[in-house]
């Protein structure tokens, strides 16, 4: 399994390593959706800084975006931060975001090339008109 999962009170952080396939992304998603903590999740941070290759074709990207679109009906306030410096990995993540936006996902997406700003952005949660860091 080329990823590590860390649950936090309001979200999840995945750290992916090495070559990552669409099946492994789907496995991480299933892990997230089956866990009752996902009901309260407000963010996901995908740390792909140590990913060396992604094996996602266009069909894989569309399928994962469509599955996440379905989930967005229940988790409509989720923020998703991607962290990558690799051009190929970043291109795949941008394509996923583009398809998710075409599908009118309610999730907010943002890409970063460093982890600290991604965590700061993801954890900045609006609550009753006020901003707070969780």
């Amino acid at each position: 399994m080329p990823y590590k999962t860390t649950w936090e009170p309001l979200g999840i952080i995945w750290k992916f390593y090495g070559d990552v396939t669409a099946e492994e992304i789907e496995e991480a998603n299933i892990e997230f959706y089956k866990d009752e903590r996902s009901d309260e999740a407000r963010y996901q941070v995908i740390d792909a800084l140590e990913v060396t290759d992604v094996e996602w074709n266009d069909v894989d990207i569309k399928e994962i975006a469509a599955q996440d679109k379905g989930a967005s009906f229940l988790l409509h306030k989720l923020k998703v931060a991607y962290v990558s410096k690799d051009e190929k990995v970043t291109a795949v993540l941008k394509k996923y975001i583009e398809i998710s936006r075409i599908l009118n996902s309610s999730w907010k997406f943002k890409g970063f090339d460093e982890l600290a700003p991604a965590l700061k952005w993801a954890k900045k949660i609006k609550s009753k008109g006020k901003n707070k860091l969780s």
Side-chain angles (χ1 to χ4, degrees):
M1 180 167 42
Y3 67 92
K4 177 185 173 194
T5 303
T6 303
W7 281 96
E8 296 191 340
L10 292 176
I12 191 168
I13 300 169
W14 282 300
K15 182 166 186 65
F16 286 87
Y17 306 89
D19 296 351
V20 179
T21 66
E23 290 81 16
E24 291 157 344
I25 298 296
E26 187 171 350
E27 182 181 317
N29 275 343
I30 289 169
E31 174 189 347
F32 175 73
Y33 295 132
K34 283 187 173 183
D35 193 299
E36 64 186 34
R37 292 174 284 189
S38 68
D39 295 343
E40 302 299 320
R42 300 293 298 273
Y43 62 85
Q44 294 178 342
V45 176
I46 294 88
D47 177 352
L49 289 170
E50 294 185 32
V51 172
T52 54
D53 194 19
V54 285
E55 298 173 25
W56 284 18
N57 61 39
D58 287 348
V59 173
D60 295 329
I61 296 169
K62 288 175 184 176
E63 285 179 4
I64 292 170
Q67 291 169 2
D68 288 349
K69 166 59 178 172
S72 74
F73 288 112
L74 295 174
L75 302 169
H76 58 278
K77 294 184 179 182
L78 198 70
K79 293 171 80 175
V80 182
Y82 293 98
V83 187
S84 174
K85 291 184 181 184
D86 181 271
E87 288 181 28
K88 182 177 179 184
V89 174
T90 300
V92 169
L93 295 173
K94 284 182 178 181
K95 187 166 213 162
Y96 163 82
I97 292 169
E98 178 184 320
I99 292 168
S100 295
R101 287 185 175 145
I102 290 169
L103 294 173
N104 292 316
S105 175
S106 63
W107 294 356
K108 292 183 179 172
F109 300 95
K110 192 165 183 181
F112 297 86
D113 60 7
E114 293 182 9
L115 185 58
L119 290 168
K120 184 176 180 180
W121 176 82
K123 292 180 179 187
K124 190 170 186 174
I125 306 295
K126 290 184 180 181
S127 176
K128 299 181 182 180
K130 296 179 183 177
N131 289 334
K132 68 176 183 177
L133 288 177
S134 56

